[in-house]
Amino acid sequence: MEYALYFFITASLSTLFAMGGAGSGIALIPVLHMLGIPFNLAKAVGLFVGFTTTFTSTVMNFRRKVLDIRFALPLAATLLVFAPIGAQLSRFTDETVVKWLFVMFLLFSATMMMFFKKEAKAHVQSPWVMALLGTVVGSIAGLLGVGGGNMLLPILILLGFEPKKVAVAVSFVVPFSAFTSFLSYASFVQMDWPLLGICTLGAVTGGYIGNYMMHFKLSQQQIKRVIAVILYILAARMAFNLLT
């Protein structure tokens, strides 16, 4: 009966987030944890769900030849190295500290969805910037158990990188960093394989429904506002639980 609930929740979140063009892992992690799933296990599940629902778009971008490999390489290399390292750091970091960081990440992501405008505020376009961001964001993303795209995309755009180019590069590298982070968590977390399987099935189902519903000319901006409100609520709930 519990697995049916996990499937329904994952499918519902994935449907909504797919309609908003975002991954549902960021919401699935705190929801699973609130339902009694250990935090690190919830992160591992969220990472694998994120990988399975975004891998197809990664392959499509590569096959369509819209990916600039030289542009994405510094980001890809540092993310793939430091995301698993960040995941391993979670073993030695106080869980309360990680949860507070996750609350901050939820607030950041919600605010970006609600208010972010794709306008450059600087013009710092260098491969070294990409590498540095990949290192920092990869470490934080691995520690929190998220893909990192929610952090990378707005920061790179604010630094003056071309939005479409950034979107393609980020969508290409994030699934791989999510998968390597998942493998890192799987090396020390006691995995619940039925939970992983049912959540993955729910995410794929929800992603398909969400992508189908996007054809009905629903306002993606309004959906993003709904998602942002959900993330604010989850952040508030996590903070309340930490304080009580």
Side-chain angles (χ1 to χ4, degrees):
M1 195 66 181
E2 287 182 346
Y3 289 123
L5 176 62
Y6 298 145
F7 174 85
F8 175 76
I9 289 172
T10 307
S12 300
L13 288 173
S14 296
T15 298
L16 178 63
F17 277 69
M19 291 167 63
S24 62
I26 184 176
L28 183 62
I29 292 168
V31 170
L32 287 177
H33 185 52
M34 290 171 192
L35 291 173
I37 303 299
F39 193 49
N40 279 338
L41 175 57
K43 289 192 285 181
V45 172
L47 283 165
F48 191 77
V49 162
F51 165 73
T52 55
T53 54
T54 56
F55 181 71
T56 301
S57 62
T58 296
V59 174
M60 289 298 293
N61 282 333
F62 186 77
R63 293 183 65 180
R64 287 165 51 208
K65 298 181 180 180
V66 295
L67 174 69
D68 185 338
I69 294 292
R70 288 187 61 188
F71 176 76
L73 187 59
L75 192 61
T78 49
L79 272 175
L80 289 174
V81 170
F82 286 94
I85 291 175
Q88 289 294 324
L89 284 175
S90 67
R91 300 174 63 181
F92 310 105
T93 307
D94 187 275
E95 190 170 285
T96 300
V97 173
V98 178
K99 287 181 178 178
W100 276 117
L101 290 173
F102 200 96
V103 169
M104 294 171 62
F105 176 65
L106 286 170
L107 293 173
F108 171 81
S109 299
T111 302
M112 290 296 100
M113 283 195 176
M114 186 75 80
F115 302 110
F116 180 66
K117 296 180 180 179
K118 294 181 180 180
E119 298 175 358
K121 301 298 182 183
H123 294 281
V124 187
Q125 300 184 24
S126 163
W128 292 106
V129 174
M130 298 277 281
L132 178 61
L133 276 175
T135 300
V136 175
V137 171
S139 300
I140 296 172
L143 179 68
L144 299 182
V146 295
N150 287 6
M151 288 183 276
L152 283 170
L153 195 63
I155 293 172
L156 287 169
I157 291 173
L158 287 172
L159 289 175
F161 290 92
E162 203 277 315
K164 288 185 178 179
K165 204 171 185 179
V166 166
V168 172
V170 170
S171 69
F172 176 74
V173 300
V174 164
F176 294 106
S177 66
F179 185 66
T180 54
S181 293
F182 163 75
L183 292 178
S184 191
Y185 275 99
S187 70
F188 64 87
V189 171
Q190 185 174 352
M191 291 300 301
D192 184 333
W193 297 107
L195 173 68
L196 183 68
I198 204 70
C199 287
T200 301
L201 181 60
V204 171
T205 302
Y208 178 81
I209 295 171
N211 287 324
Y212 176 76
M213 292 180 70
M214 285 177 67
H215 296 297
F216 290 97
K217 298 183 179 179
L218 297 169
S219 170
Q220 193 176 63
Q221 191 56 44
Q222 289 180 343
I223 294 168
K224 283 187 175 182
R225 291 193 181 102
V226 172
I227 292 173
V229 170
I230 291 173
L231 296 182
Y232 280 130
I233 292 171
L234 290 174
R237 178 62 186 273
M238 279 192 73
F240 177 79
N241 288 343
L242 287 166
L243 291 170
T244 56

